[in-house]
Amino acid sequence: MIKRLDNIKLGIGESEDKLLTIAKGKLHGLKQFKIIKKSLDARDKNHIFWVYSIAFSDGEPLNPPQTFERLKSPPKVAVIGSGPAGLFCALGLLRHGIYPVIIERGEPVEKRRDTVTDFFENRKLNPNSNVQFGEGGAGAFSDGKLNTQTNSGSNRDVLELFRQFGAPEEITYLNKPHIGSDNLYKVLQNIRKYIAENGGEYKFNTQFIGFECKNGRICAIKLKNTLTGEEGLEKVDCAVLALGHSARDTFEMLASSGVQMVPRDFAVGVRIEHLSQQIGLSQYGKSHTLLPAADYKLVSHAGERTAFTFCMCPGGVVIPAASEEGGVVTNGMSLYARDGKNSNSALLVQMKKEDFGEHLFAGMEFQRELERKAFIAGGKTYAAPVQLFKDFSADKLSHSFGQIEPTYAAGTNFAPLNEILPEIVVKTLKVAIPDMGRRLKGFDCPDGLLVGVETRFSSPVRILRGEKGESVSCEGLYPCGEGSGYSGGITSSAADGLETAEKIYEKFKNH
């Protein structure tokens, strides 16, 4: 017998052992118990508490093991990209006895960390291995946030797999789960070890530069070693395009090869930094050492366009995230403890295709132009242009920081962001920030620091695919994840990877 209890309230600091006591009182002969949901209720700042749901049984498994049919004659599948979509597609393929070859233009995560650190400290950008490219994808240098607005049936599977490979167990039940970049590095290495030990193969420093089709079906992929320049051809039955949202040169190659794709709307803006303590006071009413670093999620319709926060990093830092020379891109990152002095989030304004033109890559060029402007304004050293909110609002150049000092590792330079960002973005942010401040006290503080520019919210194109998951242009080519325009964030991308693996299995199970 399995039972479930919801809406159990525990005060801040109360032991979770009380949940087990409650379960024992409800079911004699208790053998299995687990927390299935935990969220913080801080609506009444004088009475903040945790809310739990629990499941327990007298022997029936709470997590019955999944079984998967394995193919006797598996196809050869290349998974191009080792971000969440690619890695979880590879894991899904292995379940069915399909042994993937993972093609990754960047480095393994431990080498990638050194390369990224060198860029932060010495401004030496590696266009093939950076915050955007390499094992783990862009998510490896964020926060490992696993909350999602999608309702995919694979979301739970994604969380369980992350837990199996070393993520904290709490991610399976927290309302807003996160792994932390420090934990995520270890999880990625565990996934790599598992894939390699179970028949999969990795090819790092290897770029996908083309493909061949026969009778409308993919038969080979063209690869290039990014260290030696050596090119080669590898025969495949399928190729999964788990490219990530920043694979601009690959998008261009696919389009020139006849792969159908369409432009997409996206959003651009800045990173905004506040003191973490101030966000905590605004959300909780006073300092709480037993509560997590406070987060927020804000939307404003006060301007002509919708503005919203995204990828909020409590106790985190703003990081350089360029993948092309001569451009400045920002992102946010926090470790598991989320104990940094500042908190930050992307502050974005929705853009429409008519803002940059209907050409397939007009949006991509629009992003590039903003990144080039930010690079020039930062002093052409990958430093980021920054401005205090009070000065941004008054169209004045900032000359000194207030209480909030920047965390951006490659340095900053005071610059007028209104001369970098599109006019519609500037107008919208000037009214949206005070509007958000009415709901989150201090969000519009004069010293709030705007760091430019945030341009990689989502892919500027979508690679068209049919109901069976294949490209409408080439059989056996499977667009997948954020880069192909079908997800946004770690969890939804990983879920799309698992679902793509199932589609490949369905295609070949009767062969």
Side-chain angles (χ1 to χ4, degrees):
M1 178 193 302
I2 294 178
K3 286 191 173 184
R4 172 174 171 149
L5 287 178
D6 298 308
N7 201 34
I8 305 170
K9 299 176 182 178
L10 292 185
I12 303 305
E14 275 195 274
S15 172
E16 290 182 348
D17 290 344
K18 187 174 180 179
L19 300 173
L20 180 59
T21 302
I22 292 171
K24 288 179 177 178
K26 292 288 183 179
L27 183 66
H28 297 293
L30 177 75
K31 292 185 178 179
Q32 295 197 45
F33 163 83
K34 68 180 294 188
I35 300 170
I36 55 178
K37 188 175 181 181
K38 177 182 178 181
S39 60
L40 186 68
D41 191 328
R43 290 173 294 179
D44 181 353
K45 293 179 175 56
N46 295 314
H47 182 48
I48 300 175
F49 53 88
W50 292 104
V51 183
Y52 293 83
S53 295
I54 60 174
F56 47 98
S57 82
D58 57 1
E60 189 175 344
L62 296 178
N63 283 321
Q66 294 176 288
T67 58
F68 300 92
E69 182 179 342
R70 297 174 68 85
L71 298 182
K72 294 180 180 179
S73 300
K76 183 171 183 180
V77 181
V79 176
I80 300 164
S82 66
L87 291 179
F88 278 74
C89 183
L91 291 172
L93 291 170
L94 282 175
R95 287 170 165 176
H96 293 295
I98 303 171
Y99 309 108
V101 179
I102 299 173
I103 309 300
E104 173 54 60
R105 69 192 294 172
E107 299 168 308
V109 69
E110 54 269 46
K111 292 184 179 180
R112 184 184 176 203
R113 287 178 69 182
D114 293 339
T115 299
V116 167
T117 299
D118 188 42
F119 173 52
F120 289 0
E121 295 177 351
N122 302 309
R123 322 298 198 269
K124 295 179 180 178
L125 177 66
N126 181 335
N128 290 306
S129 192
N130 45 62
V131 168
Q132 307 296 344
F133 301 140
E135 186 178 22
F141 292 92
S142 60
D143 185 74
K145 284 178 285 292
L146 302 179
N147 48 304
T148 177
Q149 294 181 338
T150 67
N151 295 314
S152 169
S154 300
N155 289 346
R156 171 57 54 181
D157 201 4
V158 168
L159 298 178
E160 286 291 343
L161 282 168
F162 269 123
R163 181 193 63 78
Q164 289 175 30
F165 288 109
E169 185 173 0
E170 65 189 26
I171 68 165
T172 62
Y173 57 78
L174 278 177
N175 184 43
K176 297 179 180 179
H178 82 106
I179 300 177
S181 292
D182 45 346
N183 285 330
L184 196 53
Y185 302 145
K186 303 168 189 174
V187 170
L188 290 168
Q189 292 176 69
N190 291 339
I191 291 175
R192 187 203 316 155
K193 181 180 178 182
Y194 175 86
I195 289 174
E197 289 179 348
N198 286 274
E201 180 184 357
Y202 280 79
K203 291 190 175 184
F204 289 108
N205 301 305
T206 303
Q207 186 176 2
F208 168 59
I209 59 171
F211 62 98
E212 292 184 357
C213 287
K214 186 176 182 180
N215 299 322
R217 178 178 179 80
I218 192 168
C219 61
I221 55 174
K222 298 176 183 178
L223 304 174
K224 177 182 178 180
N225 185 299
T226 60
L227 301 179
T228 66
E230 182 181 357
E231 297 184 7
L233 196 66
E234 184 154 334
K235 293 182 178 180
V236 296
D237 298 303
C238 298
V240 177
L241 300 177
L243 306 172
H245 55 42
S246 295
R248 293 167 172 171
D249 49 358
T250 308
F251 295 149
E252 291 170 331
M253 177 275 291
L254 291 169
S256 67
S257 301
V259 174
Q260 290 188 44
M261 56 184 79
V262 294
R264 298 179 69 218
D265 294 344
F266 51 83
V268 300
V270 295
R271 280 268 154 184
I272 184 166
E273 291 201 80
H274 299 93
L275 293 176
S276 182
Q277 182 182 34
Q278 177 58 54
I279 300 299
L281 290 172
S282 298
Q283 295 291 53
Y284 300 145
K286 57 182 178 180
S287 296
H288 284 276
T289 57
L290 297 178
L291 286 175
D295 64 3
Y296 58 77
K297 183 178 181 181
L298 300 169
V299 178
S300 173
H301 302 288
E304 184 179 337
R305 296 284 178 85
T306 297
F308 59 96
T309 62
F310 175 78
C311 187
M312 195 270 159
C313 297
V317 297
V318 180
I319 62 171
S323 59
E324 295 179 338
E325 294 181 351
V328 163
V329 182
T330 62
N331 197 2
M333 183 179 83
S334 54
L335 304 181
Y336 177 72
R338 289 178 162 177
D339 56 359
K341 184 177 180 180
N342 287 4
S343 291
N344 74 82
S345 75
L347 180 58
L348 305 173
V349 175
Q350 195 67 47
M351 305 300 293
K352 302 177 181 179
K353 288 191 286 289
E354 53 263 34
D355 293 322
F356 42 79
E358 292 295 328
H359 181 269
L360 177 59
F361 294 125
M364 195 166 75
E365 287 303 319
F366 178 84
Q367 292 172 332
R368 274 182 172 143
E369 182 60 24
L370 291 181
E371 294 163 14
R372 291 188 191 109
K373 286 182 178 180
F375 180 75
I376 294 169
K380 299 182 180 180
T381 62
Y382 294 102
V386 296
Q387 196 169 15
L388 275 62
F389 170 63
K390 64 180 180 182
D391 297 324
F392 174 76
S393 184
D395 292 325
K396 293 170 55 180
L397 184 68
S398 298
H399 295 285
S400 62
F401 297 110
Q403 286 187 307
I404 303 163
E405 296 183 350
T407 58
Y408 184 86
T412 60
N413 189 43
F414 289 119
L417 292 172
N418 63 309
E419 295 180 8
I420 301 170
L421 297 167
E423 182 179 2
I424 189 63
V425 174
V426 173
K427 287 182 177 179
T428 299
L429 292 182
K430 284 183 178 181
V431 296
I433 294 174
D435 182 50
M436 292 175 175
R438 285 187 276 274
R439 273 160 286 145
L440 181 64
K441 185 178 179 181
F443 190 82
D444 57 343
C445 69
D447 288 351
L449 192 61
L450 307 183
V451 187
V453 289
E454 177 89 17
T455 54
R456 307 290 180 92
F457 167 66
S458 62
S459 174
V461 297
R462 170 173 286 140
I463 304 173
L464 297 180
R465 68 185 185 189
E467 291 184 4
K468 295 182 179 180
E470 293 173 285
S471 163
V472 299
S473 309
C474 179
E475 187 180 353
L477 198 61
Y478 288 82
C480 174
E482 192 166 352
S484 297
Y486 292 98
S487 63
I490 293 175
T491 301
S492 60
S493 295
D496 197 47
L498 289 175
E499 290 160 12
T500 297
E502 289 301 310
K503 288 182 170 67
I504 294 172
Y505 162 72
E506 288 293 329
K507 182 179 182 69
F508 286 93
K509 70 177 182 179
N510 295 319
H511 283 209

